[in-house]
Amino acid sequence: MSEAAGGAERREHTRVEERLETRVIADGKIVQAESLNISEGGILLAGADFPDAGRVRLEIELAELGWHAVDAEVIRRGEDASGAETLAARFARVATEGGRQAIQAFFEARLGSAPPAA
């Protein structure tokens, strides 16, 4: 996911608004969060007290696919319309614990095909 300073750029990956349970892990701290939207390339999360880290490990519950872990780079922090903290993170290129494959399967099930690989 990427945002230009002046507005949204064309997105590299298809984005789907999905409310998914997610855990953000950094420096031994685990924070419960909920996704606002997800793509093969990254995720936007809502929650509170996110760790102050540039890199995090995310555990995402992908419906019938179960929990999957991916490493991610924090690219933006802010808040949503309700005032909840938001955290945008881009998934690492290397899959961790089947995370990227699970995200591709998640999109195949909802969109009929996987988005192009990063």
Side-chain angles (χ1 to χ4, degrees):
M1 293 194 284
S2 62
E3 292 284 329
E9 292 179 352
R10 182 180 170 134
R11 297 192 180 275
E12 182 179 357
H13 301 284
T14 302
R15 190 169 61 165
V16 175
E17 291 186 19
E18 284 284 340
R19 298 288 179 161
L20 303 169
E21 293 296 317
T22 307
R23 294 187 285 249
V24 179
I25 304 164
D27 299 325
K29 182 177 181 181
I30 301 172
V31 175
Q32 297 297 319
E34 183 176 84
S35 71
L36 299 177
N37 58 61
I38 186 172
S39 74
E40 184 187 346
I43 189 167
L44 176 64
L45 301 167
D49 300 322
F50 288 125
D52 186 23
R55 295 196 177 273
V56 294
R57 184 168 185 85
L58 301 174
E59 293 180 348
I60 306 168
E61 187 174 27
L62 295 170
E64 66 282 354
L65 299 175
W67 286 92
H68 294 274
V70 290
D71 293 323
E73 173 190 7
V74 176
I75 58 171
R76 188 176 66 251
R77 295 173 186 270
E79 60 181 51
D80 68 11
S82 70
E85 275 186 75
T86 59
L87 182 146
R90 178 173 39 228
F91 299 142
R93 285 192 173 272
V94 177
T96 54
E97 295 177 23
R100 187 169 296 279
Q101 292 89 346
I103 291 164
Q104 288 174 332
F106 174 84
F107 278 95
E108 287 172 1
R110 281 156 183 77
L111 304 177
S113 65

